[in-house]
Amino acid sequence: MGGDSVKIGIYFCNCGSNIAEKISSDAVAEAAGFFPDSPYFTTVDFICSEDGKLKFEESLKTEQPDRVVVAACSPRDHEATFRRCLTNAGINPYLLQMVNIREQIAWVTEDPAVATAKAIVAIRGALFRVRLQQPLEKKQLEVCPDALVIGAGPAGMKAALSLAEAGRSVVLVERTPFVGGLPVRFDELFPALECAPCMLEPLMGDLLHGDSAGKVELLTMSELIEVTGFYGNFIAKIRQKPRHVSLHECIGCGECVEACPATTMNEFNSNASTRKAIDFAFAGVLPNAPFLLDEACVRSKGEECRACKDACPMGEDVVDLEEVENVVERRIGSIILATGAGLYDASRVVGMGMGTLPDVYDALQFERMLSSTGPTGGEIVTSAGIPPSSVAIIHCVGSLDSEHQPYCSGICCQYAFKFNHMITAKLPGTSITHYHRELVVPGKEAHTLFNHAARNKNSSMKRYDGIRDLAVAQDGAGRLQVCVKGEAAPADMVVLCPAVIPAEGGDRLSAMLDVSCDSSGFFRELHGRMDASQSTMKGVYLAGACQEPMDARSAMLEGMACVGYTLAGLQPGRTIEIEPISAEVDETRCAGCRLCVSVCPYHAISFNLEHNASNINAVLCRGCGTCVTACPAGAITGHHFTNEQIMAEIEGVLK
């Protein structure tokens, strides 16, 4: 507006006593009479209330100011509210400037005279700034209702299938060759000791072959490598490793497995058994197709081999030895993180014997031993192949410990008592000792397994204060023993219950999606109580154990909560508004250094070789201003936060 006179309205909110107790509206009104452009001044008791908003809008319609300053609370609370009031009054909402005189002045300044003086200075600065603000217009963009689900465990599968049943297209990305997550590798689940694969099979079957399966694009052995865009319009790039076996044409006969000459350790059995280079992850796996490990194949050593391909009865195209890594691009509107969790490395806990003593297992290794599809076919045996006569189960390995993980994982006690039940069922005469710090068995069903252990004549419980008071060692005869404060008890087998930790790769996804993590590495919720399924990034939702340790039931409920957010927010044909507060490049001043491209956190800037200048995609830009401050040539302008506006506000404060 330059030096032209403009009509400016200043609206002062008393906010009850929150502001009025410390800041005198009369004194501010008197001072405003000496401000440039002679602004009119109006006091409102509660401008954010329904009555206050109505009076505000009526005043705006009557006065028809060119610019508006609202002195009230934090813009985070009500800037959007007051912008709507301007719109309702026929005034461009970006001709408003808010001043936070509640949190930043009234609440932190004891002396009312000082607080009033501060408020006058802040409002004068806002007036100088608002004179230079320009009307901006929001853009309308049609949203994509489809979703990307990362992780095909219980939470991810439930979310993907539910979205598909609602008619949405879903891309389901899973880094392993199978669906089901960790629970599908277990034999039974607490608290009701249901067969885990049997319980999950209907869900997995519907996902792969049900009526809505055509809506789900399953990408196994895949990972997300790049995301650009924003809520309603994300572009995701996904890297898919070669499986070398067609999921659509393989019938799962296993002829290729029999023919393969190469063997390696099977990581899905915790390296307790071997597998062929081309093999199933484990018996009963879904999708029911093997996969080829390139690094285990003799071809990786320079040898020629077609044994698996030649053995396939379904033709030449089922096994593709020449398949290479592939990157696919998909447009989606929302992202559901269901990456699950893992176990803390028990070998990092000194004195537990993990990885150094025989017959010391962590919970996942023991789960595979108990499983009928595991390395021992479900038989509980020591490394010597003998059923143990005594088993020690050590709780809280790495949990409730400032040197490892400070939190309680919540589910460990329940699966420990499940182990108690399963050991007793398979080996009725085996004695079981639980070494625990605390016992956590919440819920209406969990007490049954606890009571079974407590009443079992072959089971006992010993409490220890801290993990340093306990050690696993060998006696002179080489037999394991658990030592607690000098007392040693023999054990043929030791099962460790480590802390539940975030799954591998969470930090990479956090940086890529701009989703923050908490101090323990789990994805941080928008609000731990009110919005536990929303992340700190709009359009990215959290399902299951990626946000905290939880059981399969809770994980699936979280998955359904994410489905609710996705269905409610992204409806076919719906449009969303794009904020006009974005940055713009003056190509005539751009030096082509590309520094802005490297610093943009939203991947909104590209470099145009033809014009030798950077270009900002206003749809992707979030108006953070990083590029504006980084540009050495001053060629980038941040709309609504121009250098002139900011300097004018500073000038107004200093006058």
Side-chain angles (χ1 to χ4, degrees):
M1 299 293 295
D4 297 338
S5 177
V6 294
K7 184 176 183 180
I8 300 175
I10 299 176
Y11 292 83
F12 185 99
C13 178
N14 278 321
C15 197
S17 62
N18 277 287
I19 293 175
E21 190 177 79
K22 292 293 182 66
I23 301 173
S24 168
S25 60
D26 291 338
V28 176
E30 182 181 352
F34 298 96
F35 289 173
D37 300 317
S38 301
Y40 69 87
F41 189 94
T42 302
T43 302
V44 185
D45 285 335
F46 290 97
I47 196 170
C48 67
S49 68
E50 291 304 313
D51 185 55
K53 288 186 290 185
L54 182 62
K55 290 180 179 178
F56 181 36
E57 290 181 15
E58 289 176 348
S59 174
L60 292 173
K61 291 175 182 177
T62 301
E63 296 287 351
Q64 284 295 300
D66 297 309
R67 302 288 188 274
V68 177
V69 173
V70 173
C73 55
S74 167
R76 292 188 62 179
D77 288 342
H78 285 296
E79 185 173 49
T81 301
F82 302 140
R83 281 181 178 174
R84 284 193 294 271
C85 290
L86 263 69
T87 300
N88 294 339
I91 301 172
N92 188 282
Y94 295 94
L95 300 179
L96 162 77
Q97 181 64 20
M98 278 194 71
V99 187
N100 184 356
I101 60 172
R102 187 178 69 176
E103 287 88 340
Q104 293 183 352
I105 299 177
W107 284 1
V108 295
T109 309
E110 288 295 327
D111 188 336
V114 174
T116 299
K118 283 183 179 180
I120 292 170
V121 167
I123 294 170
R124 185 171 60 228
L127 181 136
F128 273 60
R129 172 197 164 94
V130 80
R131 298 168 77 224
L132 300 180
Q133 289 179 199
Q134 297 297 316
L136 302 174
E137 298 296 333
K138 291 184 177 181
K139 297 180 181 179
Q140 298 286 332
L141 191 66
E142 187 171 338
V143 300
C144 174
D146 302 333
L148 170 69
V149 179
I150 305 175
M157 291 192 300
K158 189 72 172 177
L161 183 60
S162 299
L163 287 169
E165 289 173 342
R168 305 298 175 86
S169 294
V170 183
V171 181
L172 178 57
V173 174
E174 169 57 45
R175 63 183 178 87
T176 71
F178 57 89
V179 299
L182 284 177
V184 80
R185 294 190 243 174
F186 304 164
D187 219 43
E188 296 178 355
L189 293 178
F190 67 78
L193 298 180
E194 297 168 272
C195 168
C198 303
M199 184 185 75
L200 292 173
E201 197 282 330
L203 176 60
M204 295 188 292
D206 285 346
L207 185 73
L208 298 173
H209 310 295
D211 294 339
S212 301
K215 287 285 187 178
V216 180
E217 181 184 11
L218 174 63
L219 301 178
T220 59
M221 302 178 67
S222 302
E223 61 177 347
L224 185 69
I225 59 171
E226 183 180 293
V227 173
T228 56
F230 55 96
Y231 175 58
N233 285 273
F234 290 111
I235 301 296
K237 288 185 179 179
I238 303 153
R239 180 192 294 124
Q240 189 171 27
K241 294 180 180 178
R243 188 185 187 102
H244 297 291
V245 176
S246 171
L247 290 179
H248 302 292
E249 299 178 63
C250 177
I251 60 172
C253 66
E255 293 292 334
C256 58
V257 178
E258 294 295 325
C260 181
T263 59
T264 187
M265 301 307 294
N266 188 350
E267 65 169 305
F268 299 111
N269 270 340
S270 299
N271 292 327
S273 65
T274 60
R275 55 156 286 163
K276 295 293 187 70
I278 187 168
D279 207 337
F280 300 91
F282 49 85
V285 69
L286 291 177
N288 184 29
F291 68 101
L292 175 64
L293 276 176
D294 284 317
E295 60 270 25
C297 180
V298 297
R299 290 166 55 88
S300 66
K301 302 174 180 61
E303 300 179 31
E304 186 59 39
C305 181
R306 285 176 45 97
C308 55
K309 189 176 184 72
D310 293 338
C312 179
M314 298 303 294
E316 281 279 313
D317 298 332
V318 179
V319 178
D320 182 3
L321 297 175
E322 306 303 323
E323 185 182 7
V324 295
E325 185 175 274
N326 184 36
V327 175
V328 298
E329 189 173 283
R330 298 290 183 267
R331 178 172 178 255
I332 68 288
S334 63
I335 299 171
I336 297 176
L337 293 176
T339 51
L343 291 184
Y344 188 70
D345 183 1
S347 67
R348 297 178 62 183
V349 183
V350 177
M352 292 296 98
M354 186 70 192
T356 60
L357 297 178
D359 298 314
V360 177
Y361 305 98
D362 68 21
L364 182 56
Q365 291 173 328
F366 193 60
E367 288 278 13
R368 290 308 295 153
M369 182 183 291
L370 292 170
S371 175
S372 57
T373 65
T376 63
E379 297 296 322
I380 304 175
V381 292
T382 65
S383 56
I386 303 170
S389 60
S390 59
V391 176
I393 300 176
I394 303 178
H395 299 228
C396 302
V397 177
S399 297
L400 299 172
D401 192 326
S402 59
E403 294 183 10
H404 300 285
Q405 301 298 327
Y407 54 84
C408 169
S409 297
I411 63 173
C412 312
C413 289
Q414 296 183 69
Y415 74 62
F417 293 129
K418 178 191 75 172
F419 289 165
N420 194 109
H421 191 287
M422 296 178 73
I423 293 169
T424 300
K426 292 175 182 285
L427 302 172
T430 296
S431 65
I432 307 166
T433 305
H434 290 265
Y435 295 88
H436 68 91
R437 292 185 63 183
E438 308 291 345
L439 291 178
V440 180
V441 283
K444 62 182 181 180
E445 295 178 296
H447 70 281
T448 56
L449 287 174
F450 168 73
N451 289 339
H452 179 274
R455 295 167 184 167
N456 187 339
K457 64 179 182 180
N458 291 325
S459 300
S460 61
M461 299 185 193
K462 295 184 179 180
R463 188 166 188 165
Y464 68 92
D465 295 328
I467 202 68
R468 289 188 175 186
D469 299 327
L470 186 150
V472 180
Q474 285 180 315
D475 60 19
R479 189 183 183 189
L480 291 175
Q481 57 181 5
V482 180
C483 306
V484 183
K485 290 186 176 180
E487 295 184 11
D492 296 326
M493 181 179 290
V494 174
V495 180
L496 307 178
C497 300
V500 178
I501 62 172
E504 184 181 351
D507 52 349
R508 184 181 57 82
L509 285 172
S510 170
M512 185 189 310
L513 298 172
D514 201 25
V515 173
S516 60
C517 291
D518 60 25
S519 59
S520 299
F522 292 99
F523 293 121
R524 188 187 301 278
E525 307 91 340
L526 182 61
H527 189 286
R529 302 295 176 267
M530 300 290 290
D531 288 297
S533 290
Q534 294 198 75
S535 76
T536 50
M537 173 59 71
K538 187 172 178 60
V540 180
Y541 305 109
L542 309 177
C546 67
Q547 59 173 298
E548 68 176 357
M550 64 178 67
D551 59 14
R553 173 180 177 270
S554 299
M556 291 194 193
L557 289 175
E558 290 282 356
M560 289 305 296
C562 295
V563 170
Y565 280 118
T566 301
L567 293 179
L570 298 177
Q571 300 170 15
R574 181 177 177 178
T575 60
I576 57 174
E577 290 184 329
I578 307 302
E579 278 287 344
I581 302 176
S582 59
E584 185 177 0
V585 177
D586 181 352
E587 292 187 355
T588 62
R589 298 178 63 185
C590 179
C593 69
R594 310 188 195 189
L595 182 59
C596 56
V597 178
S598 64
V599 301
C600 178
Y602 302 104
H603 308 289
I605 308 178
S606 58
F607 190 77
N608 189 320
L609 291 173
E610 182 179 349
H611 295 90
N612 194 39
S614 293
N615 178 64
I616 298 177
N617 185 330
V619 173
L620 301 183
C621 179
R622 300 290 293 274
C624 68
T626 304
C627 60
V628 178
T629 57
C631 180
I636 305 179
T637 299
H639 295 306
H640 204 63
F641 289 94
T642 65
N643 292 338
E644 291 78 14
Q645 290 167 358
I646 294 170
M647 293 304 295
E649 186 170 6
I650 294 173
E651 180 187 353
V653 168
L654 296 178
K655 272 189 176 293

